[in-house]
Amino acid sequence: MPLAAAVECLDPDAALACALADDLDRAFEALVIAYRVRIVTFVARMLHDDARAEEVGQDVFVRAYRALQAYPAQRRETLRLRPWLYTIARNLTRNAFRDAPPFADSLDYDDGNPSAALIDEAAAPEDILLRSEAWQSVDDAVARLSTAIRPAFVMRYLDDLSYDEIAESLDQPLGTVKASAHRGLLAVRAYLENNDG
Amino acid sequence: MGESNFGALRTAPNRPVAPDFTAQVFTRIGLDRYVTAASAIGEVFVAWRSGGVSALRIAGDAMTFESWYGERFGRRVVPAREEDPISAAARAKLGGDEVEVPIDLGECSPFERRVLEKAAEITRCNARPYGWVARELGVPDATRAVGNALGRNPVPLLIPCHRVIRTDFTVGGYVFGSETKRTLLEAEGLDFAAIERVTRGGFRYVGDDDDGTFCLPTCGTVATRVGSPGFVALRSVDEAHAHGLRPCSTCRPIAA
């Protein structure tokens, strides 16, 4: 076995992609089991609506299945499942957003120049986030982020996607997603500070 | 402060999904799942979708089952990786628990559905003739159609079509064979030797003088009591009326 193939087998997503390429119908449940909680949680944070999250979460997997059906086996095999599923989730929550406008009191401002907000992350004191055990407050803060930066913040800081994966999911340049995630972090931190105790 | 210090944030609680989340997705994409479960007649395949259990067959070659399923229902069925509330309920019921199991009869005709729902009312240690089901449904001439509908029961055992027998109280046909049907009914408590002793003499009912009622010989264990004081075999409803007996409210013998 070539080394690259051996390494790929260690990655559960790569193994899952191979299984989906081999027999989509038989492997699909494994994809749903692996990602349903993450995707529904992500959708709930995007929509700030638990009731609709379930339905839109289902939509994500239905959309994923239809897309996989249409892909040739070779494309399925090489698919990076995580960023790909987040792309679908992001697109479907954007559609859902059109029905329900976000909070008027958005936490972050948009000066049209995201890179201006790009600060060295190493210097950002996010102790308050680490201390915060009131996750409801975090979710409330997330709900107040604008739709422009919310996905990048949630993917990076709550869902632990790499910047590469986020850039791929959102189809945005790396610098943009880094700036968005960081601006989200500052805004959430400010919200938690103001609502602490 | 470096990236690694965001660890706590990444333990943000996830939102749990509903127990039927996967079944809802699978139903929407037209894909059903199945598990293997133990039953009174050995291992069976149980297939289900979000509406309920859609099929039950004796376990055997998976490919044969899957292709039968595709032909019958026009949908693909794949082995399930995990249990959900519907498959768990089916497994419990097949294991002998008294639980409600949702059934999906979406592929059945309205008449087939009525026949199967009537069969589902027949409790353990009981059997009713095909003609009884036809009369209960208000279509007394449709005995043969009732038999055909029961023969197409997609979920034997879960809907106990084995409890519907021939009008002469012999067991009649069954999707898994007559022998299996008789074994099942006897395991549930019916005594066919006793039933045959009654019917061989041309008797169709059993009267209970103490109760003042008369029954079909397949109503519980009534056939085993014939010959003991107070129990009498009867040839006709007229004969029962002559004894001053009224029909049992459980087996409703007039309908037979």
Side-chain angles (χ1 to χ4, degrees):
Chain A
M1 185 188 286
L3 183 60
V7 168
E8 250 188 4
C9 287
L10 298 175
D11 174 1
D13 266 11
L16 189 49
C18 285
L20 289 166
D22 182 48
D23 189 335
L24 171 61
D25 287 351
R26 279 174 198 278
F28 190 67
E29 189 181 4
L31 180 72
V32 177
I33 291 170
Y35 278 102
R36 61 191 167 192
V37 168
R38 295 179 61 123
I39 290 296
V40 170
T41 302
F42 174 75
V43 167
R45 291 209 170 98
M46 286 299 105
L47 299 177
H48 198 58
D49 182 344
D50 267 13
R52 286 193 69 198
E54 188 89 13
E55 184 193 326
V56 176
Q58 285 175 23
D59 293 343
V60 171
F61 288 101
V62 171
R63 192 71 69 90
Y65 178 80
R66 302 268 178 245
L68 288 167
Q69 264 187 323
Y71 292 167
Q74 200 192 350
R75 168 125 192 242
R76 281 188 228 150
E77 204 172 286
T78 54
L79 206 55
R80 279 154 48 90
L81 291 171
R82 193 156 73 148
W84 181 74
L85 278 175
Y86 273 87
T87 304
I88 298 172
R90 174 61 193 129
N91 288 339
L92 289 177
T93 52
R94 187 185 289 142
N95 293 342
F97 249 125
R98 293 204 184 106
D99 309 334
F103 287 83
D105 57 335
S106 203
L107 283 177
D108 57 299
Y109 61 96
D110 189 353
D111 59 5
N113 180 13
S115 61
L118 182 56
I119 301 163
D120 179 15
E121 204 165 72
E126 61 286 318
D127 298 1
I128 188 148
L129 286 185
L130 299 180
R131 273 196 282 111
S132 176
E133 284 171 33
W135 287 108
Q136 186 55 49
S137 303
V138 174
D139 280 345
D140 288 346
V142 166
R144 284 170 170 77
L145 296 176
S146 75
T147 58
I149 71 167
R150 193 190 302 182
F153 171 77
V154 172
M155 287 181 192
R156 182 70 200 105
Y157 291 112
L158 300 180
D159 290 357
D160 201 20
L161 268 68
S162 71
Y163 282 125
D164 281 343
E165 288 177 321
I166 300 168
E168 187 178 332
S169 285
L170 300 178
D171 194 23
Q172 288 174 353
L174 203 56
T176 306
V177 300
K178 280 187 179 176
S180 297
H182 191 75
R183 278 176 51 198
L185 180 65
L186 295 180
V188 168
R189 193 189 65 197
Y191 177 88
L192 294 177
E193 272 170 355
N194 293 332
N195 291 272
D196 197 20
Chain B
M1 186 172 285
E3 286 268 314
S4 59
N5 293 327
F6 290 101
L9 199 51
R10 283 168 199 147
T11 62
N14 284 318
R15 183 196 174 287
V17 299
D20 69 340
F21 182 87
T22 306
Q24 294 286 351
V25 170
F26 269 67
T27 298
R28 288 178 59 186
I29 62 178
L31 201 55
D32 297 351
R33 290 174 293 161
Y34 70 97
V35 290
T36 306
S39 80
I41 56 171
E43 300 240 290
V44 291
F45 288 142
V46 179
W48 84 100
R49 57 210 313 255
S50 62
V53 175
S54 51
L56 183 149
R57 282 296 180 269
I58 289 177
D61 179 57
M63 289 303 166
T64 307
F65 171 71
E66 289 171 21
S67 64
W68 167 82
Y69 194 91
E71 276 170 35
R72 169 90 193 249
F73 300 103
R75 295 188 302 269
R76 198 172 171 197
V77 68
V78 292
R81 284 165 196 268
E82 68 175 12
E83 205 84 75
D84 85 348
I86 292 174
S87 64
R91 190 182 294 284
K93 179 150 185 181
L94 292 168
D97 292 352
E98 284 299 324
V99 291
E100 281 283 314
V101 182
I103 305 286
D104 184 324
L105 294 177
E107 313 304 315
C108 296
S109 73
F111 178 74
E112 287 171 343
R113 225 169 291 171
R114 287 176 64 212
V115 169
L116 293 171
E117 281 160 9
K118 179 53 72 178
E121 294 173 10
I122 307 169
T123 53
R124 281 177 71 87
C125 192
N126 275 281
R128 307 282 179 263
Y130 295 109
W132 180 92
V133 173
R135 273 170 219 263
E136 285 270 316
L137 295 177
V139 285
D141 295 334
T143 303
R144 184 173 291 270
V146 165
N148 291 340
L150 292 167
R152 275 181 44 80
N153 178 11
V155 286
L157 300 180
L158 294 175
I159 289 182
C161 58
H162 62 276
R163 293 178 191 152
V164 186
I165 62 175
R166 292 178 52 171
T167 304
D168 63 3
F169 300 107
T170 56
V171 292
Y174 188 47
V175 58
F176 302 140
S178 293
E179 272 308 305
T180 303
K181 185 174 182 177
R182 185 179 173 127
T183 306
L184 269 172
L185 289 169
E186 291 192 322
E188 291 178 357
L190 277 184
D191 184 338
F192 270 95
I195 292 164
E196 278 154 18
R197 277 198 299 276
V198 174
T199 58
R200 210 182 298 127
F203 298 102
R204 295 193 49 78
Y205 306 100
V206 176
D208 178 347
D209 283 335
D210 290 346
D211 256 14
T213 61
F214 68 102
C215 297
L216 297 173
T218 51
C219 181
T221 54
V222 71
T224 62
R225 307 222 184 99
V226 171
S228 51
F231 288 87
V232 55
L234 304 159
R235 287 176 201 278
S236 67
V237 172
D238 285 346
E239 204 178 326
H241 287 158
H243 275 79
L245 300 171
R246 51 177 206 287
C248 162
S249 59
T250 302
C251 68
R252 297 188 288 278
I254 297 291

